[in-house]
Amino acid sequence: RVSRERLAASRALGELDTRLLATTQQALTEQRKAASERDVLLREIYHRVKNNLQIIQSLLRLGSRNLSEEQREPFENAVRRIGAMARVHTLLYNSPDLASIDFKDYLDGLVGEIADAFGAEERGIRTVLEAQPMRVSLDTAVPLAFIATELLTNAYKHAFPEDRTGTITIAARHEDGHGLLMIADNGVGFPD
């Protein structure tokens, strides 16, 4: 009799284990499906945000066509800032984790775009990028993108007047447990 009770209890535990395993597998499958759907939706949102930002850039460019050079400058600054955000969303769209970007990849694209916009090669301005791969969250990436855009814009715009040539150096690396971004030039510098 004890043997039969043990056998019945063992069978009951086995059935319980089987049901628990099946329920767990079903929950995991549903969780994976939900995560996959979330990833698809996030990618679509990043893509749409990037497209909307590019449309705004185009509208600002169109709106500034008939303005004087002095009036056009605020529009160009806004276009560059919007471009900085659009680039972050492009990288997020292509990022494997959808929550961070490789800031080195960001800088690669940014440096080329701003150098071209200011005719760096024609002006004899050399750009050196020394960046390590560095994952940066969305909350950090956007303000950091603005800072990098502003610093590079100022360097190309003001450091090399009157056909002066020189070098702009951009470095991004890990140092003492933190990320470090440095943008420097050997241009005219600031007045006393």
Side-chain angles (χ1 to χ4, degrees):
R1 190 178 119 231
V2 171
S3 220
R4 278 184 296 199
E5 288 176 1
R6 285 184 184 163
L7 183 61
S10 179
R11 284 184 188 147
L13 283 174
E15 289 173 13
L16 185 60
D17 282 346
T18 303
R19 280 187 278 165
L20 184 58
L21 181 61
T23 304
T24 303
Q25 287 175 338
Q26 182 181 358
L28 284 172
T29 301
E30 289 173 10
Q31 189 177 27
R32 282 188 199 111
K33 182 181 174 191
S36 177
E37 290 171 356
R38 181 191 62 94
D39 287 353
V40 168
L41 288 173
L42 270 175
R43 285 187 198 286
E44 181 62 25
I45 288 169
Y46 290 146
H47 185 69
R48 287 182 185 205
V49 168
K50 177 204 58 125
N51 287 345
N52 288 337
L53 291 170
Q54 288 176 332
I55 289 169
I56 293 168
Q57 279 183 298
S58 296
L59 291 172
L60 286 172
R61 283 189 182 114
L62 283 172
S64 69
R65 271 197 215 167
N66 298 326
L67 299 175
S68 70
E69 187 66 32
E70 185 178 292
Q71 292 171 321
R72 193 177 305 132
E73 189 171 337
F75 282 88
E76 290 174 3
N77 287 336
V79 166
R80 276 191 292 279
R81 289 180 185 128
I82 292 167
M85 285 190 292
R87 177 174 278 97
V88 168
H89 282 83
T90 298
L91 290 173
L92 283 168
Y93 174 77
N94 295 316
S95 177
D97 67 8
L98 296 174
S100 66
I101 63 167
D102 184 342
F103 202 65
K104 178 187 184 302
D105 291 343
Y106 180 85
L107 288 172
D108 283 337
L110 178 70
V111 167
E113 183 180 302
I114 294 180
D116 288 346
F118 284 98
E121 190 174 318
E122 297 83 20
R123 292 172 56 200
I125 301 171
R126 194 168 77 95
T127 307
V128 177
L129 175 61
E130 302 165 348
Q132 296 174 345
M134 188 180 334
R135 299 302 300 178
V136 178
S137 71
L138 176 61
D139 292 341
T140 303
V142 172
L144 200 53
F146 284 148
I147 291 167
T149 299
E150 291 300 313
L151 292 173
L152 285 169
T153 297
N154 286 339
Y156 284 112
K157 195 185 273 189
H158 303 294
F160 307 102
E162 303 166 9
D163 298 326
R164 181 181 172 127
T165 62
T167 302
I168 298 173
T169 304
I170 303 98
R173 63 181 175 269
H174 297 278
E175 193 171 283
D176 297 327
H178 300 287
L180 173 74
L181 172 66
M182 181 201 65
I183 299 176
D185 64 72
N186 63 355
V188 296
F190 293 104
D192 288 340

